[in-house]
Amino acid sequence: MMKLAYPLLRLGIYEDLRSRLSRSQREHFCLVATCPQDGHHPESVLGTVELALNAQPRGERTHPYPYLSNLAVQPRWRRRGVAQHLLAACQQHAHAAGQSQLYLHVLENNYGARKLYLHSGYQLHSMDHHWSSWLLGRPRRLLLYRNFAPPNF
């Protein structure tokens, strides 16, 4: 089954990347947490996150908003504050762009990520009620948001 679905998945990834690369660089960021180079080890990537300041995620029919996606931390660096630092950096970028909210999706069965986001001040905005959730038993996507004070101009 995956052999048949693989070309479609590849096409979806290609279209997503093409769309992201065609946007203004000032609207889309990829933030990377690194471990500094020392005498014995080269600099290494600990985690990454993407921030789109003017996003309209797939399936959403609302106005564009600042949106986080693809937060990932190397397994051996998890639970050491890397994800919190990446989230804080996203908030700083959004704040500097005049935004006062951030949004993200998380799967309802991703308990570790949900705990991270809730402890970081995110709240439930809405739940995805896609047909695949009840028909195929797939986990629903939860749209979370976080309010913070806008900059004073």
Side-chain angles (χ1 to χ4, degrees):
M1 182 71 166
M2 281 306 291
K3 286 183 181 181
L4 296 174
Y6 185 73
L8 291 174
L9 292 172
R10 254 181 89 139
L11 180 62
I13 292 169
Y14 169 78
E15 287 300 318
D16 184 50
L17 285 172
R18 188 178 65 77
S19 171
R20 290 175 194 222
L21 292 173
S22 68
R23 292 185 197 139
S24 166
Q25 290 180 340
R26 293 182 359 201
E27 292 182 3
H28 191 88
F29 300 90
C30 181
L31 305 173
V32 180
T34 61
C35 184
Q37 181 177 1
D38 64 19
H40 304 288
H41 300 93
E43 182 176 53
S44 60
V45 173
L46 307 181
T48 63
V49 66
E50 294 180 49
L51 170 62
L53 292 175
N54 201 14
Q56 189 167 0
R58 246 182 318 190
E60 298 292 323
R61 301 217 190 307
T62 60
H63 64 282
Y65 47 80
Y67 184 77
L68 300 177
S69 60
N70 301 322
L71 175 64
V73 175
Q74 291 270 2
R76 71 176 207 210
W77 288 97
R78 292 181 184 158
R79 302 187 60 82
R80 295 186 181 188
V82 175
Q84 288 92 343
H85 285 305
L86 287 167
L87 290 173
C90 287
Q91 181 177 323
Q92 289 173 347
H93 278 284
H95 191 271
Q99 302 289 341
S100 61
Q101 293 180 320
L102 285 173
Y103 290 83
L104 61 88
H105 277 103
V106 65
L107 293 176
E108 68 179 337
N109 67 345
N110 190 343
Y111 301 109
R114 286 176 54 191
K115 183 177 177 182
L116 165 71
Y117 298 135
L118 293 175
H119 283 229
S120 298
Y122 286 82
Q123 301 173 7
L124 180 64
H125 181 275
S126 61
M127 233 183 295
D128 189 12
H129 295 290
H130 195 264
W131 62 268
S132 65
S133 298
W134 59 269
L135 187 62
L136 301 176
R138 292 190 176 157
R140 291 178 293 189
R141 292 185 329 152
L142 308 177
L143 181 62
L144 305 181
Y145 75 100
R146 181 165 193 254
N147 286 321
F148 52 91
N152 295 325
F153 290 106

